[in-house]
Structures are given as C-alpha cells and as structure tokens.
Coordinates of all heavy atoms in Angstrom, one line a residue:
G1 N 0.8 -1.2 0.0 CA 0.0 0.0 0.0 C 0.9 1.3 0.0 O 0.5 2.3 0.6
R2 N 2.0 1.2 -0.7 CA 3.0 2.3 -0.6 C 3.2 3.0 -1.9 O 3.2 2.4 -3.0 CB 4.3 1.7 -0.2 CG 5.4 2.7 0.0 CD 6.8 2.0 0.3 NE 6.8 1.2 1.5 CZ 7.1 -0.1 1.5 NH1 7.3 -0.7 0.4 NH2 7.1 -0.7 2.7
G3 N 3.2 4.3 -1.9 CA 3.6 5.1 -3.0 C 2.6 5.4 -4.0 O 1.4 5.0 -3.9
S4 N 2.9 5.9 -5.2 CA 2.1 6.2 -6.2 C 1.9 5.1 -7.3 O 2.6 5.1 -8.3 CB 2.6 7.5 -7.0 OG 2.8 8.5 -6.0
N5 N 1.1 4.2 -6.9 CA 0.9 3.1 -7.9 C -0.3 3.3 -8.8 O -0.8 2.5 -9.5 CB 0.7 1.7 -7.2 CG -0.4 1.8 -6.1 OD1 -1.5 2.2 -6.5 ND2 -0.1 1.4 -4.9
F6 N -0.8 4.6 -8.9 CA -1.8 5.0 -9.8 C -1.2 5.0 -11.2 O -0.1 5.5 -11.4 CB -2.3 6.4 -9.5 CG -3.2 6.4 -8.3 CD1 -2.7 6.5 -7.0 CD2 -4.6 6.2 -8.4 CE1 -3.5 6.5 -5.9 CE2 -5.4 6.2 -7.3 CZ -4.9 6.3 -6.0
Y7 N -2.0 4.6 -12.2 CA -1.6 4.5 -13.6 C -1.2 6.0 -14.1 O -0.4 6.1 -14.9 CB -2.6 4.0 -14.4 CG -2.3 3.7 -15.9 CD1 -1.5 2.6 -16.3 CD2 -2.8 4.6 -16.9 CE1 -1.2 2.3 -17.6 CE2 -2.4 4.3 -18.2 CZ -1.7 3.2 -18.6 OH -1.4 2.9 -19.9
R8 N -1.8 7.0 -13.5 CA -1.6 8.4 -14.0 C -0.2 8.8 -13.8 O 0.3 9.8 -14.3 CB -2.6 9.3 -13.4 CG -2.5 9.4 -11.9 CD -3.5 10.5 -11.4 NE -3.9 10.3 -10.0 CZ -4.5 11.2 -9.3 NH1 -4.9 12.3 -9.8 NH2 -4.9 10.9 -8.0
Y9 N 0.5 8.2 -12.8 CA 1.9 8.6 -12.5 C 2.9 7.7 -13.3 O 4.1 7.9 -13.1 CB 2.2 8.5 -11.0 CG 1.3 9.4 -10.2 CD1 0.5 8.9 -9.2 CD2 1.3 10.8 -10.4 CE1 -0.3 9.8 -8.4 CE2 0.6 11.6 -9.6 CZ -0.2 11.1 -8.7 OH -1.0 12.0 -7.9
S10 N 2.5 6.7 -14.0 CA 3.4 5.8 -14.6 C 4.0 6.4 -15.9 O 3.5 7.3 -16.5 CB 2.6 4.5 -15.0 OG 1.9 4.8 -16.2
S11 N 5.2 5.9 -16.2 CA 5.9 6.4 -17.4 C 5.1 6.1 -18.7 O 5.2 6.8 -19.7 CB 7.3 5.8 -17.5 OG 7.2 4.4 -17.5
I12 N 4.3 5.0 -18.6 CA 3.5 4.7 -19.8 C 2.5 5.7 -20.1 O 2.5 6.1 -21.3 CB 2.7 3.3 -19.5 CG1 3.8 2.2 -19.2 CG2 1.9 3.0 -20.7 CD1 3.1 0.9 -18.7
A13 N 1.9 6.3 -19.2 CA 0.9 7.3 -19.4 C 1.6 8.6 -19.9 O 1.1 9.3 -20.8 CB 0.0 7.6 -18.2
K14 N 2.7 8.9 -19.3 CA 3.4 10.2 -19.6 C 4.0 10.1 -21.1 O 3.9 11.1 -21.8 CB 4.5 10.5 -18.5 CG 3.9 10.8 -17.2 CD 5.1 11.1 -16.2 CE 4.5 11.3 -14.8 NZ 5.6 11.4 -13.8
E15 N 4.6 9.0 -21.3 CA 5.4 9.0 -22.6 C 4.4 8.9 -23.8 O 4.7 9.4 -24.9 CB 6.2 7.7 -22.6 CG 7.5 7.8 -21.7 CD 8.2 6.5 -21.5 OE1 7.8 5.5 -22.1 OE2 9.1 6.4 -20.7
S16 N 3.3 8.3 -23.5 CA 2.3 8.2 -24.7 C 1.5 9.5 -24.9 O 0.8 9.6 -25.9 CB 1.3 7.0 -24.4 OG 0.5 7.3 -23.3
G17 N 1.6 10.4 -24.0 CA 0.9 11.6 -24.1 C -0.6 11.5 -23.6 O -1.4 12.5 -23.7
R18 N -0.9 10.3 -23.1 CA -2.2 10.1 -22.6 C -2.6 10.9 -21.4 O -3.7 11.3 -21.2 CB -2.5 8.6 -22.3 CG -2.6 7.7 -23.5 CD -2.7 6.3 -23.1 NE -2.9 5.4 -24.3 CZ -4.1 4.8 -24.6 NH1 -5.1 5.0 -23.8 NH2 -4.2 4.1 -25.7
L19 N -1.6 11.1 -20.5 CA -1.9 11.8 -19.3 C -2.6 13.1 -19.5 O -3.6 13.4 -18.8 CB -0.6 12.0 -18.4 CG -0.7 12.6 -17.1 CD1 -1.6 11.8 -16.2 CD2 0.6 12.8 -16.4
K20 N -2.0 13.9 -20.4 CA -2.6 15.3 -20.6 C -4.0 15.2 -21.2 O -4.9 15.9 -20.9 CB -1.7 16.2 -21.4 CG -2.2 17.6 -21.6 CD -1.1 18.5 -22.2 CE 0.0 18.8 -21.2 NZ 0.9 19.9 -21.8
L21 N -4.1 14.3 -22.2 CA -5.5 14.0 -22.8 C -6.5 13.6 -21.7 O -7.6 14.1 -21.7 CB -5.4 13.0 -23.9 CG -4.9 13.6 -25.3 CD1 -4.7 12.4 -26.2 CD2 -5.9 14.6 -25.8
Y22 N -6.0 12.6 -20.9 CA -7.0 12.2 -19.8 C -7.3 13.4 -18.9 O -8.5 13.6 -18.5 CB -6.3 11.2 -18.9 CG -6.2 9.8 -19.6 CD1 -5.2 8.9 -19.1 CD2 -7.1 9.3 -20.5 CE1 -5.1 7.6 -19.7 CE2 -7.0 8.1 -21.0 CZ -6.0 7.2 -20.6 OH -5.9 6.0 -21.1
K23 N -6.4 14.2 -18.6 CA -6.7 15.4 -17.7 C -7.6 16.4 -18.4 O -8.5 17.0 -17.7 CB -5.4 16.1 -17.2 CG -4.5 15.2 -16.4 CD -5.1 14.8 -15.1 CE -5.2 15.9 -14.1 NZ -5.6 15.4 -12.8
A24 N -7.4 16.5 -19.7 CA -8.3 17.4 -20.4 C -9.7 16.9 -20.4 O -10.7 17.6 -20.2 CB -7.8 17.6 -21.8

C-alpha cells in the first residue's frame, strides 16, 4: 500500500501523451 501506484503517474501514461489528454 505504498507510494504512487496509480496509472496516471506511470511512465507509460506520460510517454504516450495520454496523461494530458486524460486530464483534459
């Protein structure tokens, strides 16, 4: 139960550009 295991913090989401689209 430790740390940021949310997908939004993963390198996969950041590198694919999905994070910003999701936030939009």
Side-chain angles (χ1 to χ4, degrees):
R2 185 187 295 122
S4 302
N5 53 55
F6 287 86
Y7 187 80
R8 59 175 158 172
Y9 296 121
S10 75
S11 59
I12 299 167
K14 292 177 182 176
E15 290 169 5
S16 66
R18 284 175 176 253
L19 181 61
K20 186 169 284 190
L21 278 172
Y22 284 154
K23 297 298 287 186

